[in-house]
Amino acid sequence: MSAQVIEAVKSQFPGAVVPEVPQAPSIDKTKQVLLATNGDLREVANKTCWEVQNDFEQRLNKALGEKFNYESVRVHPFKDDKGHGFIGNQREGSDAFLGCDEEAPIIVLLTAWQYSHHIAPSLAKHKGPILILANFDGTWPGLVGALNLCGSLTGLGREYSRLWSQNFDDDFFYDKLGEFLKTGKVTHDISHIKEIDASHAAVKSEAGQYGELVGEYIMRRKEIMGLFDNFCMGMINGVFPQKALSDIGIPMEGLSQSALLYEMSLVDDATREECLQWYIDRGMQFDFGEDGATELTREQVKEQCAMMIAMVKFADRFGLTAVGVQYQQGLKDSCAASDFAEGTIGSTERYPVKDDNGNVIREGKPIPCINEVDMGTGIPQIMLFRLLDSLGLNSETTLHDIRWGSEYEGEFYWDFEISGNVPFSHLKGGIAGAKGYRQPAMYFAKGGSTISGQCKAGTFIWARAHYEGTEVHMHVGTGDAVELPDAEFQRRLDSTTAVWPLMNVKLHGLGRDELMAAHQSNHITVAYVPEDKLEFVTRAFAAMSLKQGMRVHVAGSAKI
């Protein structure tokens, strides 16, 4: 804005103060790179995770200096009053990017879970090349946060590069970091992802034609996704445009968590007690204690039972195919964690919840639960439920975090883990194989039980939806869940979150680097399918997705 225009405006509005964008200092792009690190919205998490972040920041700076004669320039300071150097909210993220050279290359270093919306809108407008860099570790998993930020930037239409490493000292890390500094891009082989269309042989097959029928059913009838608030954990990639949902026949019913709390209050103590005892009688073990601040109590689980009962009644009242609870930044201050409620509602074997006429609601049918209200997993969960149910197969679905992975006896196994909402049929031993532990007090002050255990061996289909503009893309693949020996299973559990359920898997045609190079989310949807039916279901699901107007990408060596 010219000085002449400013003076002209001030002559009409004497009190006018023109807001000024600060002039950011430029950096030497041949020797310097910007560095940002995003964090959690919860300060306790940022303080806890800072030591690891600081360690990897030093490792990165060492590699930049010793290997490439570069130095990093932090775009935001260490916060003495907070005890960490993470960006902790969206305002901080926006302000940090105001003060940096918008043409400069930037590395976003992630070593813990992060809220993508803190920085994704600013990154989307940044003009220089972007590298999302993560440590590959299961404890405070940067890889999970990085996958979410990548999916979020994809949804915002911003190009970026990605890189991951266990210790920042391997040839893969050095080669790809050098490539970014030299060219502004990192290339990965993603030939394992193959797009198919309606001309594909799978669509013409008997399975494909059946899938088209189910897809047409969804398009005409509509499968309504009921979400108690619809933005969670900073996951921009989990919030789809309304047009995208409408176009594929899966619209959203927006519900309020305050209404859920009210419905919970209507569940009397006797019903809550009866519900809890129902699960105990079927063999689930709870690690009960006395101190609710640090231990799991009976009252906490009874509150979770009330939540499940309320969710079932909402599903019935609104005709919902699936439900999801935002929870983390809302109900966490008001009631026990949602996870036990989410796992139980998503199970076929469920405490019988009755409607006002005394009829059991959806007896013998799971109600898919969309953990963390992530629409990108809700879409395939709903579709898989409808497909598998129509085939007379077990139709229980869940999402998992892509939490970690490592080798065992020369083979790479992924560790999938979510905070407690797996349906019982996914666990070795079912309800009797489930254990309830208190959610970590650091995140869940009100407590609440997980549904923990070892996920059973078997074949499964996996899927994930993401959006580009208003266009929905579906990735689909297959895998084997395995029951690793007790000692190895425990090692992996101890390296992640020991009170959560853990699924150890081999993805067909996808190792560590293949999935990290192309997946558009920290989440993945899974459903167990008998091995002799897996090819049929995969073909049918792909054809369904095409019929519903999605672009379909088959991953790895999935048979289709």
Side-chain angles (χ1 to χ4, degrees), residues 404-445:
W404 189 44
S406 59
E407 287 193 358
Y408 175 70
E409 295 187 345
E411 287 199 70
F412 184 87
Y413 294 89
W414 279 104
D415 300 318
F416 290 171
E417 190 174 58
I418 197 60
S419 59
N421 80 327
V422 292
F424 290 113
S425 77
H426 285 208
L427 292 177
K428 182 180 178 181
I431 294 179
K435 291 184 176 158
Y437 297 105
R438 191 197 192 282
Q439 283 283 23
M442 180 172 77
Y443 297 131
F444 302 93

Side-chain angles (χ1 to χ4, degrees), residues 108-111 132-136 142-143 146 163-165 168 516:
V108 182
L109 173 59
L110 303 176
T111 62
I132 310 301
L133 172 61
N135 70 324
F136 197 85
L143 74 98
L163 180 57
W164 53 93
S165 172
F168 290 14
M516 289 296 296

